[in-house]
Amino acid sequence: MITVMGATGRTGSRICQTLLAAGVLVRALGRNAERLAPLAAAGAQIAVGEPHDGAFLTEAFRGAEAVYTLLVYGPETEDYRNQQAAQGEAIIQAICASTVRRVVFLSSVGAEVPCGTGPIISMHDQEQRLRQLPPEVNVLMLRSGALFENLYGALEIVRAYDCYSDAVAPDMPVPMVATQDVADAASGALLDRDWQGIVTREVLGQRDISYAQATQLLGAAIGRPDLAYVPVSPQELAAALREAGYSASVADCYAELGEAISSGRVRAQETRSPANTTATPFEDFAQTWAAAYRALL
Ligand SMILES: NC(=O)c1ccc[n+]([C@@H]2O[C@H](COP(=O)([O-])OP(=O)(O)OC[C@H]3O[C@@H](n4cnc5c(N)ncnc54)[C@H](OP(=O)(O)O)[C@@H]3O)[C@@H](O)[C@H]2O)c1
């Protein structure tokens, strides 16, 4: 049996489906039984509880051959760092109490950097906690590049302002990756259990893409190859995000991340290789994004 946190989410739902298709018993975790119902119908056990509840996670991890863990938040999350720390500590408590021996953690490119990386800091902190676990616990930290799906945030901006804006420098190459490829890397590891001890693996996507290139590709997919990427300062980004309903804490994190990517503080550590390069090109995502854009009009 394999336990999957965030089972209704982008990586978790695909991981559950893959594991179920492989004939594995899956315990799918989420906060809401209705949202988990499709996974129950597909044959998963479901467990309903909060990701910061160590007692809930302990029961959910008990008896699992492996667990998939991640730290989740929403744009409205107040006090991002404490919210993430509470989840991270609950996961550690549950790993210890349940004696699960294999853990996959969804981390990020840049998680080796201890500060100044916005939302990635919480993944750095969790990696540090995971490194303190007893040696019999095998931990794989999957350091994902920037998810293509972050750019769903561009939909409303393009519609309203006829351009895309962020605080990342326009020409900085960024490892961008399809969520499905990250999920598949996690599923493969959960099934193969082909690592020993504490291991990090980067998942860098099909190729690096700058924000200017990504904007051009999204524009081309909606018949607007001239769509412009207009960089803004971190301060301007934070203000715009607060205006759009993000908590000050999350808005400040994203502003810091923009600067961290632009300066190269957040960047891949591994040289590109077949092992860290995934299949899905950005152009595939651009088509899906374009369909979502047309639905907005
Ligand atoms: N975005 C990136 O570029 C990037 C890059 C590297 C790593 N990451 C990591 O990937 C994570 C996201 O993974 P994902 O896309 O699979 O997750 P996700 O789809 O964003 O969320 C997974 C589940 O978490 C629950 N959730 C949502 N908001 C929550 C909240 N405020 N409090 C508690 N639970 C909440 C939801 O399930 P229920 O409501 O059903 O419980 C959701 O289905 C990030 O948090 C980050 O740690 C992201």
Side-chain angles (χ1 to χ4, degrees), residues 124-203:
H124 169 82
D125 293 346
Q126 184 66 355
E127 287 198 0
Q128 298 308 110
R129 291 185 196 98
L130 289 163
R131 288 178 195 282
Q132 304 306 313
L133 286 168
E136 61 271 19
V137 186
N138 300 293
V139 182
L140 175 63
M141 328 229 227
L142 272 187
R143 289 184 177 167
S144 168
L147 300 175
F148 291 167
E149 286 72 6
N150 294 342
L151 287 159
Y152 283 124
L155 285 168
E156 195 51 49
I157 300 170
V158 173
R159 192 188 67 80
Y161 300 104
D162 207 23
C163 66
Y164 178 48
S165 284
D166 202 310
V168 177
D171 298 322
M172 181 57 123
V174 177
M176 292 194 197
V177 58
T179 297
Q180 65 183 48
D181 291 347
V182 176
D184 290 351
S187 303
L190 289 162
L191 288 168
D192 297 345
R193 298 178 213 145
D194 58 347
W195 81 95
Q196 215 59 42
I198 306 277
V199 172
T200 60
R201 285 183 194 159
E202 291 185 333
V203 189

Side-chain angles (χ1 to χ4, degrees), residues 5-13 29-32 35-36 49-52 68 70-77 80 83-84 87 105-109 119-120 122-123 142-148 150 179 254:
M5 291 184 72
T8 61
R10 294 182 296 189
T11 56
S13 59
L29 274 51
R31 296 175 299 170
N32 179 295
R35 284 198 291 276
L36 289 164
E50 293 289 336
H52 57 263
Y68 174 69
L70 75 176
L71 304 175
V72 291
Y73 66 99
E76 73 299 334
T77 296
Y80 173 83
Q83 184 260 15
Q84 296 273 288
Q87 287 178 42
F105 170 56
L106 175 55
S107 187
S108 175
V109 163
I120 298 173
S122 67
M123 287 168 271
L142 272 187
R143 289 184 177 167
S144 168
L147 300 175
F148 291 167
N150 294 342
T179 297
Y254 285 9

Side-chain angles (χ1 to χ4, degrees), residues 1-8 16 26-37 39-40 43-51 53 55-62:
M1 190 271 294
I2 295 178
T3 296
V4 178
M5 291 184 72
T8 61
C16 287
V26 171
R27 189 175 286 158
L29 274 51
R31 296 175 299 170
N32 179 295
E34 269 178 38
R35 284 198 291 276
L36 289 164
L39 285 169
Q45 289 181 5
I46 63 167
V48 179
E50 293 289 336
D53 180 346
F56 162 67
L57 293 181
T58 299
E59 286 316 304
F61 288 8
R62 209 181 285 286

